[in-house]
């Protein structure tokens, strides 16, 4: 069973679609992006979100206080980190979340896969990370796929639960799932038209995902 996350939600219409198709995760982007939302926007949107769907905050080198405050207020339930956050940062974030809320915030740690590099040794460095999940991506919302052949799918790294992102769309989604057997897939720009979430494109993805959910 593969879970579905759609990132970059920023309108009430987006949340209505998420609820209608019972997504597993949605992403609120707090980093610089055309899809960036404020604290108040995310709060209003999260209040509209079905309890069955997990809201994820997406951050780049963010101060821990904002992440913990969002978690404490129930606006997000997980943190997705796309900057230079190291293992010390991740452990401190988890400790801080326990201090403030009594609960440990789950972390999705992003690893950017760039063409022309050997990532298999790099991936193994994260094998015993405090991160709960990893997301393999081609960049921060680049909308492009990375070279899937760069990754050894038999690596011990894949004992971790993996979100797969980077240019996934209705044409390559089934192939990507067959290649990686990920815990979840993550889409954003490929389900948009003119920068806004497009229900017809989301419906196309939902139809494909029926084979895996």
């Amino acid at each position: 069973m593969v879970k579905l996350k759609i990132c970059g939600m920023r309108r009430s219409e987006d949340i209505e679609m998420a609820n209608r198709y019972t997504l597993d995760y949605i992403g609120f982007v707090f980093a610089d992006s055309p899809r960036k939302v404020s604290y108040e926007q995310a709060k209003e949107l999260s209040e509209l979100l079905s309890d069955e769907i997990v809201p994820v905050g997406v951050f780049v080198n963010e101060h821990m206080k904002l992440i913990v405050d969002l978690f404490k207020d129930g606006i997000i339930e997980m943190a997705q980190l796309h900057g230079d956050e190291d293992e010390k940062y991740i452990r401190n974030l988890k400790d801080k979340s326990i201090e403030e809320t009594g609960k440990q915030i789950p972390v999705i740690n992003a690893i950017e896969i760039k063409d022309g590099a050997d990532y298999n040794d790099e991936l193994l460095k994260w094998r015993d990370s405090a991160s709960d999940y990893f997301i393999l991506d081609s960049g921060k919302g680049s909308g492009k796929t990375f070279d899937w052949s760069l990754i050894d799918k038999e690596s011990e790294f894949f004992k971790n639960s993996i979100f797969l992102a980077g240019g996934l769309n209705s044409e390559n989604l089934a192939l990507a799932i067959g290649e990686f057997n990920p815990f979840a897939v993550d889409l954003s720009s490929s389900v948009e038209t003119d920068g806004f979430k497009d229900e017809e494109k989301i419906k196309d993805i939902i139809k494909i995902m029926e084979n895996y959910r």
Side-chain angles (χ1 to χ4, degrees):
M1 181 174 172
V2 180
K3 296 185 180 295
L4 175 61
K5 175 174 176 279
I6 292 184
C7 202
M9 301 302 215
R10 56 194 174 104
R11 305 176 301 161
S12 59
E13 298 96 314
D14 300 338
I15 301 302
E16 289 168 7
M17 284 186 271
N19 292 340
R20 189 151 49 243
Y21 299 107
T22 318
L23 304 182
D24 299 294
Y25 301 87
I26 59 102
F28 293 132
V29 177
F30 294 94
D32 287 338
S33 162
R35 304 175 188 87
K36 182 176 181 177
V37 293
S38 68
Y39 195 107
E40 287 305 316
Q41 283 175 302
K43 185 175 189 297
E44 291 173 7
L45 294 174
S46 69
E47 289 171 352
L48 302 175
L49 188 67
S50 166
D51 291 341
E52 299 176 37
I53 302 172
V54 177
V56 180
V58 180
F59 306 96
V60 176
N61 299 328
E62 186 56 73
H63 194 285
M64 285 183 200
K65 185 179 187 310
L66 175 62
I67 302 176
V68 173
D69 285 349
L70 287 161
F71 183 60
K72 181 164 59 175
D73 285 350
I75 298 170
I76 63 170
E77 295 179 20
M78 300 176 71
Q80 182 173 317
L81 307 178
H82 276 266
D84 302 313
E85 301 90 354
D86 57 11
E87 190 68 12
K88 181 179 178 181
Y89 179 100
I90 293 167
R91 292 182 185 278
N92 286 344
L93 175 61
K94 285 176 166 285
D95 289 345
K96 188 70 173 172
S97 67
I98 291 174
E99 288 174 16
E100 294 287 332
T101 71
K103 298 182 296 182
Q104 187 180 88
I105 188 170
V107 170
I108 308 171
N109 190 15
I111 300 176
E112 292 185 15
I113 308 298
K114 299 178 181 178
D115 291 349
D118 182 356
Y119 280 87
N120 294 309
D121 287 344
E122 184 69 25
L123 292 178
L124 285 176
K125 293 178 183 177
W126 291 101
R127 180 173 44 192
D128 299 313
S129 171
S131 302
D132 300 274
Y133 306 88
F134 290 90
I135 183 165
L136 300 182
D137 200 352
S138 56
K140 301 175 183 68
S142 70
K144 299 177 181 179
T145 56
F146 61 85
D147 183 351
W148 297 343
S149 68
L150 291 172
I151 306 298
D152 176 10
K153 317 306 185 300
E154 304 302 317
S155 168
E156 283 187 40
F157 171 77
F158 284 93
K159 74 176 185 179
N160 296 292
S161 294
I162 305 299
F163 284 68
L164 183 65
L168 300 180
N169 55 47
S170 59
E171 295 182 359
N172 63 17
L173 184 60
L175 185 63
I177 291 172
E179 183 88 6
F180 283 90
N181 187 29
F183 170 77
V185 290
D186 190 343
L187 297 88
S188 184
S189 59
S190 67
V191 291
E192 294 180 348
T193 298
D194 297 328
F196 295 97
K197 296 295 183 277
D198 182 321
E199 184 163 7
E200 292 304 311
K201 291 183 177 180
I202 290 176
K203 283 167 66 175
D204 289 343
I205 295 300
I206 294 295
K207 186 173 182 179
I208 295 168
M209 290 298 297
E210 285 174 355
N211 297 316
Y212 306 100
R213 296 177 79 192

